[in-house]
Amino acid sequence: MALKPNEYAIADAIENICKEKSLDSDTILQTVKESLLKAIKKKYGSDENIQIDINSASGSISIKALKKVVRQPENPAFEISKNDAKLINPDIKAGEDIWIDLPLAEFGRNAIQMAKQQLIQKIREAEREQIFQDFQHKVGEVVSGLVQRVYKGNIYLTLGKNEAVIPATDVIVGDIALPGKNMRAYVTHIDKDTRGPQIVLSRTVPEFLQKLFEFEVPEIYDGLVEIVSIAREPGDRSKIAVYSTNAKIDPVGACVGLKGSRVQAVVKELAGEKIDIIEFSIDPETYISRALAPATVVFTELYT
């Protein structure tokens, strides 16, 4: 069966959208059906007796209305005269039901425009949901993106096809955010609003520092060295307390690396932020003394 111009337009649109947006064809077809039903309801006042079938392979669109055969129709939306019905089925009798073909062209450009608007809306919703699903499991992880722009102190990164933001309050003093520069940050959460999911990042939270050490220190990643606590003043100084579950491993030395290579890699990522690494101790006085170094502790009094 040859397709009519309007059917070509919808069929092509469905095919292009499925390819470009990687959306499920069933979702697109359902959206087209819903938009056509709205156009039919607007014209006839009801869509209860309408059946729409769209062949995703050929693009052909079939619109049928179930009508009762009567001698004198009073409601054209639900009834058809016996004489007109016999043109479709010569054996039809009054009181029986018959399916009537409704040409797509009968609904004009309004139906096509409505279908287009519904598709655009459905695409936006699907894309928003896809972004949310793709990044929901990345909350608590570090991602890398290219700086797109800086606006009012906020740094916007491109993460593949998506955009993320590092709020001004989560930017390290000294960060150089030049367009096209690669930058890493910690995914704190994903905001869902009317404009779509907003991927929110941070470079100031202690968790970002911890993740960076996990990347640089295999012993931490493997669980042989643990980061017990972090105290951080972003862009200025941080202190981390580490502990080794293996007596043969020096936790501080593992984090510092050969000639300071590991800790310096983290310092470079944090725009020169100074990092002190101390060994955790279960003895409070020893732990406090190490934490306050290079200051010398002359007196300690513990309260319980």
Side-chain angles (χ1 to χ4, degrees):
M1 181 181 70
L3 297 181
K4 299 180 178 60
N6 283 341
E7 291 176 339
Y8 273 123
I10 290 182
D12 288 343
I14 293 173
E15 182 179 1
N16 291 335
I17 290 169
C18 290
K19 288 181 179 179
E20 293 177 9
K21 303 298 182 179
S22 300
L23 296 178
D24 180 25
S25 61
D26 290 339
T27 300
I28 300 301
L29 293 176
Q30 184 59 34
T31 303
V32 174
K33 287 183 181 181
E34 291 172 0
S35 61
L36 290 175
L37 285 172
K38 287 184 179 180
I40 292 170
K41 186 173 183 179
K42 183 176 181 181
K43 181 169 184 175
Y44 295 109
S46 175
D47 60 4
E48 295 177 4
N49 61 327
I50 302 299
Q51 176 179 297
I52 299 177
D53 293 309
I54 302 178
N55 188 313
S56 58
S58 66
S60 61
I61 300 174
S62 170
I63 306 176
K64 295 180 180 291
L66 183 64
K67 296 186 178 184
K68 183 172 289 295
V69 179
V70 297
R71 296 186 182 280
Q72 187 64 40
E74 296 182 359
N75 187 345
F78 291 90
E79 298 173 338
I80 184 174
S81 69
K82 182 179 179 180
N83 291 336
D84 288 340
K86 281 187 172 294
L87 296 176
I88 302 172
N89 180 1
D91 298 325
I92 198 74
K93 298 178 181 178
E96 295 180 341
D97 293 329
I98 187 172
W99 286 103
I100 307 297
D101 288 322
L102 298 179
L104 180 61
E106 183 176 333
F107 306 102
R109 294 183 177 274
N110 288 338
I112 303 301
Q113 186 63 28
M114 187 176 293
K116 180 180 178 181
Q117 291 173 350
Q118 291 289 322
L119 281 174
I120 292 173
Q121 180 63 27
K122 183 65 70 173
I123 289 169
R124 287 174 179 169
E125 292 175 358
E127 288 180 327
R128 291 170 181 173
E129 184 60 28
Q130 190 63 51
I131 292 172
F132 183 79
Q133 294 300 330
D134 287 346
F135 280 88
Q136 183 64 23
H137 71 282
K138 292 187 178 181
V139 172
E141 299 295 331
V142 170
V143 294
S144 179
L146 296 178
V147 176
Q148 185 181 49
R149 68 185 189 280
V150 179
Y151 179 69
K152 293 185 178 180
N154 303 317
I155 300 176
Y156 293 87
L157 302 182
T158 299
L159 304 177
K161 296 182 179 180
N162 304 308
E163 183 182 80
V165 61
I166 307 176
T169 53
D170 288 270
V171 174
I172 299 173
V173 176
D175 270 338
I176 300 176
L178 299 176
K181 176 187 175 182
N182 191 70
M183 183 172 281
R184 288 194 288 180
Y186 181 86
V187 182
T188 59
H189 63 284
I190 302 176
D191 279 336
K192 264 192 169 184
D193 57 33
T194 55
R195 295 173 299 176
Q198 177 70 71
I199 304 165
V200 184
L201 312 176
S202 175
R203 285 174 55 81
T204 61
V205 293
E207 292 84 355
F208 181 48
L209 176 61
Q210 178 165 343
K211 286 293 182 181
L212 292 178
F213 269 101
E214 288 179 8
F215 294 149
E216 299 295 336
V217 183
E219 291 86 349
I220 294 179
Y221 184 82
D222 293 336
L224 298 175
V225 173
E226 298 178 3
I227 296 178
V228 180
S229 181
I230 296 177
R232 188 178 181 204
E233 294 183 5
D236 184 16
R237 180 182 293 274
S238 292
K239 289 197 176 189
I240 67 172
V242 294
Y243 172 78
S244 176
T245 57
N246 188 325
K248 296 180 180 181
I249 296 178
D250 173 15
V252 176
C255 293
V256 172
L258 183 64
K259 296 182 180 180
S261 59
R262 292 175 175 176
V263 69
Q264 285 305 314
V266 177
V267 169
K268 183 178 179 181
E269 177 65 42
L270 300 179
E273 184 175 314
K274 297 180 179 63
I275 301 175
D276 296 332
I277 305 172
I278 66 169
E279 184 175 0
F280 173 76
S281 174
I282 58 174
D283 175 54
E285 293 190 7
T286 302
Y287 186 31
I288 292 171
S289 177
R290 292 172 180 174
L292 294 178
T296 300
V297 177
V298 295
F299 176 75
T300 303
E301 185 174 353
L302 302 177
Y303 296 90
T304 58

